[in-house]
Amino acid sequence: MELTITQPDDWHLHLRDGDLLQAVVPHSASHFRRAIVMPNLKPPVTSTAAAITYRESIMKALPVGTSFDPLMTLYLTDKTQPQEIKLARESGVVYAVKLYPAGATTNSQDGVTDLFGKCLPVLEEMVKQNMPLLVHGEVTDPSIDVFDREKIFIETVLQPLIQRLPQLKVVMEHITTMDAVNFVESCKEGFVGATVTPQHLLLNRNALFQGGLQPHNYCLPVLKREIHREAIVKAVTSGSKKFFLGTDSAPHERRRKETSCGCAGIYSAPVALSLYAKVFDEAGALDKLEAFTSFNGPDFYGLPRNSSKTTLKKAPWKVPEVLSFSFGEIVPMFAGETLQWQASFE
């Protein structure tokens, strides 16, 4: 069985920098035509000048002959100025601004502490510049249960934000709950969308603990109950234009995952298209796959759809147990397992 679709884009990707960037960018470049690149480096990418420099380092790391286009983002802080949003739009390489609540995830300690008190002028400028806000949708109050942080964020931050700035384009990144699905579906089409990862479509929180603690299934936002996974699958396979592919592929060295205090992040870039195909195949919705992977994202961002094609073939292949590099190892998502779909490109 074969399925030819418009080449997908990845609307939420971590490429890191240095040795990790060199190691992982070929995987994304071989599967996706474009990707929204996250800015949570050390130090974070808070200016247009830094985004341009980071993009140059990505381009240098790309294999010869690839046409991969990294779409850059800025890291929103309490100190970001409206003028920076103007510069970002004028640059032609920055496509969005990322909101990390301070302390919510990897390298988010420089994030926003008071969105309405300190960032409103920037958000208003983003409306003027038609610059989307990409949201890590979790509150960071330590008294809030980790499994409830997305739901509480929607109630206390996202709903007030949409009411205050209805013309602001917002992407709720890597949604994990029925609450997020319901919120996105209730919003005006074209102004609020959501990216969805392979792990939140395929795994529930049992995957963290089956057979012992499973650090390679640990990500943020953390995996949730089965009812939430089922709600997300139903939403993305429904044909709704509000949901699109965003892997949140987040590489960490194996030794930083398999340790007493392991990093959050799942490395899915080499397997993501195979896994999305698996989800849609099992839901009997392969006819809806192309819109999710290749149309809804560019349509939301106001960008042209790709002209290149990808062919997905039903041909079993085994995911490597580990990916080895000069600096260490990375364990990919579904390591050692057999997947049924393979992707090849024109």
Side-chain angles (χ1 to χ4, degrees), residues 90-120:
E90 290 166 1
S91 73
V93 302
V94 176
Y95 288 82
V97 176
K98 182 68 187 284
L99 166 62
Y100 290 104
T105 189
T106 303
N107 296 346
S108 64
Q109 61 273 14
D110 298 303
V112 170
T113 62
D114 182 0
L115 184 65
F116 296 108
K118 296 183 177 175
C119 299
L120 204 54

Side-chain angles (χ1 to χ4, degrees), residues 36-299:
I36 286 279
V37 180
M38 293 296 115
N40 58 329
L41 303 181
K42 288 183 178 178
V45 180
T46 57
S47 70
T48 303
I52 291 168
T53 300
Y54 184 27
R55 186 178 189 276
E56 288 169 353
S57 67
I58 295 168
M59 297 305 289
K60 287 177 185 173
L62 286 172
V64 176
T66 55
S67 55
F68 180 74
D69 186 11
L71 312 178
M72 309 311 291
T73 60
L74 296 188
Y75 184 116
L76 185 64
T77 75
D78 292 344
K79 297 177 181 177
T80 304
Q81 296 297 313
Q83 178 62 24
E84 197 60 59
I85 305 304
K86 293 179 184 176
L87 292 173
R89 176 53 78 202
E90 290 166 1
S91 73
V93 302
V94 176
Y95 288 82
V97 176
K98 182 68 187 284
L99 166 62
Y100 290 104
T105 189
T106 303
N107 296 346
S108 64
Q109 61 273 14
D110 298 303
V112 170
T113 62
D114 182 0
L115 184 65
F116 296 108
K118 296 183 177 175
C119 299
L120 204 54
V122 170
L123 298 172
E124 289 168 345
E125 186 62 35
M126 288 172 64
V127 173
K128 292 178 189 173
Q129 300 295 336
N130 195 31
M131 179 76 72
L133 179 70
L134 315 183
V135 176
H136 181 111
E138 291 188 290
V139 294
T140 55
D141 180 345
S143 69
I144 304 292
D145 189 293
V146 70
F147 292 102
D148 296 331
R149 290 181 180 182
E150 185 170 278
K151 178 178 185 288
I152 301 299
F153 185 90
I154 292 167
E155 295 169 358
T156 61
V157 180
L158 263 189
Q159 285 177 333
L161 176 63
I162 301 303
Q163 288 165 1
R164 190 154 187 175
L165 293 171
Q167 299 302 305
L168 179 67
K169 288 175 80 88
V170 175
V171 179
M172 191 171 185
E173 299 283 12
H174 42 53
I175 61 168
T176 70
T177 59
M178 184 188 301
D179 310 275
V181 168
N182 293 339
F183 171 72
V184 172
E185 288 180 339
S186 74
C187 292
K188 186 177 177 184
E189 189 170 297
F191 287 95
V192 177
T195 56
V196 186
T197 74
Q199 60 264 32
H200 293 110
L201 288 167
L202 285 163
L203 304 176
N204 62 38
R205 63 190 190 178
N206 289 346
L208 289 164
F209 309 111
Q210 283 169 333
L213 195 62
Q214 302 296 329
H216 299 289
N217 289 337
Y218 172 54
C219 61
L220 287 171
V222 72
L223 300 170
K224 302 297 194 302
R225 289 181 182 272
E226 176 65 7
I227 56 167
H228 296 296
R229 187 195 70 81
E230 290 172 354
I232 298 167
V233 170
K234 184 178 178 183
V236 303
T237 58
S238 70
S240 170
K241 296 179 180 179
K242 294 180 176 181
F243 303 93
F244 37 96
L245 186 160
T247 64
D248 193 21
S249 182
H252 291 287
E253 286 182 59
R254 182 177 188 167
R255 61 186 175 84
R256 297 191 66 216
K257 293 285 289 179
E258 299 175 7
T259 183
S260 60
C261 186
C263 294
I266 295 176
Y267 186 55
S268 63
V271 297
L273 285 186
S274 301
L275 295 177
Y276 287 121
K278 170 183 168 69
V279 170
F280 280 76
D281 188 11
E282 291 175 354
L286 281 172
D287 59 315
K288 308 283 201 318
L289 177 65
E290 184 176 34
F292 173 76
T293 62
S294 312
F295 296 163
N296 298 348
D299 291 357

